[in-house]
Amino acid sequence: MTDNIAFQDVRSLKSMIRGGQITPSELVGTFAERIERHNGLSKAFITTTIDAARKEAATVSRGDLDRSPFAGIPYASKDLFDVEGVLTTAGSKVFHDRVAKADAYAVAKLRSAQAISLGKTNLHEFAYGATGENEVYGTSVNAYDPMRLAGGSSSGSAAAVAFGLVPAALGTDTGGSVRAPAALNGLVGLKPTIGRVPTSGVVPYCWTLDHVGLMTRTIADCADLLGIVAGYDANDSASVNRPVDNYAEALNQEIAGLRVGIPLNFYYDRADDEILAALERVKEYLVSCGAQLVPVTFPDMEHSRTVSLTVQMPEALSAHSAYLQERGELYGADFRAGLALGQCILAEHYVKAKRFVEVYRQETNKLFDEVDLILTPATPEIAQKIGTVTVRRNGIDEAVGNAITRYTTFFNMTGHPALTMPCGMHTEGLPIALQLVGRYFDEKTVLRTAHAIERSERFSIPRPNVDR
């Protein structure tokens, strides 16, 4: 019974609470026991807050349950999010003593909704990396195969949900750091429109590309969670002051008549054949639902990763300049090398990269004159084995982190909402996932299309056998 509860989605857990089958306090106890049992392998959590969670759970009354879809529900947040009175390590020795004085915006919204934080999850140091490998706190592993990567940088958030340690988690996404690990672990991962969820109280990596992201088991849970954390905060310069949609309300709307863009360039290149075959099945299903497939051509993507890195590294260097002077010896070799790269990028290069970003945004926006959303694979590869350095595909070697995020990075530069979700299983026993991208602030269309796909049993996947 305990293990079965751990893999329920949030809406099912709320139904169980309302039905008297379990209380919020018992739910916290269930997940606390699982964290104790599985964290040694999963390396999902850096810090747990179980005692505080038990106290919070005891205050949730039956009357509170209708106030919020997450009232009485445990969750976790990537250890970049400040939680008042709790250590924020950012996955690094550099922040070994950084105790937060206040909640991050998203954490505060969840606290107001009476969601219950169970702790802070592991990550690639300071979110610099797509593999999730961490020398200090260990490397989070894939729930379907612990010999494989969970993906990063929000590796611990993915592992926490996939191992059944929490039903939902917050992450950050600068180049795919929520969507890619969600995809590799059979979860839903959403990067909303830039500015839709404030980044206030989140340790920055790259201010102009950072997004708060969400990981859940189902599309409905993702819609409910987005409805809580979306909003406006004047303390976040990227935050946009516009009304928050009722995302859950739109889920059951038909998708007949939707125009789905299918990229002719880049997004179906150099990918695993089984991933491409799974996407063909998704296309066929969407057509059967009355959607129309429309070919689209993206701007030249040859230098897009270079453009992204040329923006990322100077901004990361700027964020860490003071810490480098005071605690430079505490940085891991991986991130220190990245910051050294940032020192070699001239202002001229940064400005040119920002101009490229603006062109990418304008050209991608034009595509949405022709289509309502765009469908791509989430990743070109399934989860790779821990320690893998390069992936070879079609005679070309690619760094494993670049491969993991090859299809996601671009949409951090454009800022469009993008969601990944499972759509099948590979013969190697690992999840395959798709990506849906929508117009600015049109998360509703992305979510309802994803919900329509999720309803079809042909795209369901088994849960990982982590309790074997």
Side-chain angles (χ1 to χ4, degrees):
M1 179 64 173
T2 298
D3 293 339
N4 185 52
I5 288 172
F7 288 92
Q8 297 295 318
D9 60 274
V10 171
R11 288 193 173 188
S12 296
L13 292 174
K14 281 298 291 283
S15 179
M16 294 173 72
I17 294 172
R18 288 195 176 96
Q21 297 160 270
I22 196 168
T23 67
S25 294
E26 290 169 339
L27 202 53
V28 168
T30 293
F31 286 115
E33 185 276 328
R34 287 189 62 82
I35 292 170
E36 183 176 359
R37 193 193 331 165
H38 290 289
N39 202 52
L41 172 63
S42 69
K43 298 293 191 296
F45 281 86
I46 289 176
T47 301
T48 58
T49 53
I50 304 301
D51 289 343
R54 292 186 195 279
K55 293 176 182 177
E56 291 176 20
T59 68
V60 179
S61 68
R62 292 194 64 82
D64 293 328
L65 298 178
D66 293 330
R67 291 183 54 245
S68 156
F70 269 70
I73 299 296
Y75 78 98
S77 52
K78 184 178 184 176
D79 203 10
L80 294 177
F81 289 80
D82 282 345
V83 176
E84 185 178 2
V86 180
L87 189 67
T88 303
T89 73
S92 176
K93 290 180 180 179
V94 177
F95 281 2
H96 67 274
D97 56 356
R98 187 183 183 278
V99 176
K101 297 179 181 179
D103 288 337
Y105 180 93
V107 171
K109 292 292 289 289
L110 281 163
R111 193 185 295 278
S112 296
Q114 289 191 281
I116 301 168
S117 172
L118 291 188
K120 316 290 287 299
T121 57
N122 203 354
L123 65 151
H124 210 116
E125 183 182 17
F126 286 114
Y128 177 67
T131 63
E133 291 165 297
N134 189 301
E135 295 178 357
V136 180
Y137 296 104
T139 297
S140 299
V141 302
N142 194 287
Y144 285 86
D145 181 351
M147 301 302 292
R148 300 200 182 229
L149 295 165
S153 63
S154 304
S155 50
S157 291
V161 180
F163 272 84
L165 312 186
V166 286
L170 298 177
T172 63
D173 193 311
T174 306
S177 288
V178 161
R179 287 163 291 153
L184 299 181
N185 284 273
L187 305 172
V188 174
L190 174 66
K191 178 197 77 64
T193 306
I194 193 164
R196 178 67 291 180
V197 181
T199 58
S200 312
V202 180
V203 176
Y205 166 54
C206 175
W207 286 290
T208 60
L209 301 181
D210 288 346
H211 297 62
V212 169
L214 320 176
M215 287 191 204
T216 59
R217 297 196 184 288
T218 66
I219 301 300
D221 287 353
C222 187
D224 290 341
L225 182 54
L226 180 60
I228 294 170
V229 300
Y232 172 68
D233 186 351
N235 294 318
D236 175 8
S237 61
S239 183
V240 178
N241 190 3
R242 59 180 293 158
V244 175
D245 290 332
N246 187 333
Y247 304 107
E249 186 178 64
L251 292 182
N252 292 316
Q253 295 176 4
E254 295 296 321
I255 63 169
L258 277 182
R259 299 167 300 168
V260 180
I262 308 298
L264 294 176
N265 60 321
F266 187 77
Y267 279 100
Y268 290 80
D269 297 343
R270 288 196 297 116
D272 184 296
D273 287 342
E274 292 188 41
I275 292 176
L276 295 177
L279 266 291
E280 289 303 312
R281 292 190 289 272
V282 173
K283 293 177 192 177
E284 292 169 4
Y285 174 72
L286 291 173
V287 171
S288 75
C289 292
Q292 177 187 359
L293 304 184
V294 179
V296 295
T297 301
F298 273 81
D300 183 3
M301 307 284 279
E302 182 181 358
H303 302 297
S304 60
R305 181 170 292 279
T306 300
V307 170
S308 178
L309 286 173
T310 305
V311 173
Q312 288 179 37
M313 298 326 302
E315 292 194 15
L317 179 63
S318 174
H320 286 269
S321 57
Y323 299 114
L324 276 170
Q325 292 179 13
E326 299 169 3
R327 303 181 174 189
E329 75 284 357
L330 297 181
Y331 283 91
D334 186 25
F335 192 45
R336 194 162 54 242
L339 294 176
L341 173 63
Q343 292 175 317
C344 298
I345 295 173
L346 303 177
E348 176 188 4
H349 303 149
Y350 179 81
V351 171
K352 284 183 177 180
K354 295 292 283 185
R355 287 175 176 168
F356 265 103
V357 168
E358 186 56 36
V359 170
Y360 291 156
R361 289 176 176 171
Q362 292 176 7
E363 293 300 312
T364 304
N365 258 346
K366 290 178 184 178
L367 299 181
F368 288 102
D369 293 335
E370 307 168 30
V371 299
D372 300 301
L373 73 168
I374 293 166
L375 171 69
T376 80
T379 63
E381 305 289 340
I382 55 175
Q384 298 296 298
K385 291 183 178 179
I386 295 171
T388 299
V389 176
T390 59
V391 178
R392 188 170 183 79
R393 175 73 56 188
N394 296 356
I396 298 174
D397 289 329
E398 184 175 22
V400 64
N402 292 355
I404 288 171
T405 56
R406 194 194 322 149
Y407 294 155
T408 56
T409 298
F410 183 79
F411 298 111
N412 290 86
M413 290 187 283
T414 70
H416 291 86
L419 176 146
T420 58
M421 63 177 290
C423 61
M425 292 293 288
H426 197 276
T427 53
E428 291 192 32
L430 296 160
I432 292 170
L434 60 83
Q435 178 174 231
L436 292 169
V437 183
R439 295 187 181 92
Y440 289 132
F441 297 100
D442 191 15
E443 285 83 2
K444 288 171 68 173
T445 296
V446 172
L447 288 163
R448 71 181 168 103
T449 305
H451 190 57
I453 295 169
E454 183 184 62
R455 285 199 302 262
S456 173
E457 291 186 2
R458 75 184 76 177
F459 303 116
S460 63
I461 65 171
R463 77 186 193 193
N465 186 19
V466 300
D467 295 303
R468 54 186 177 275

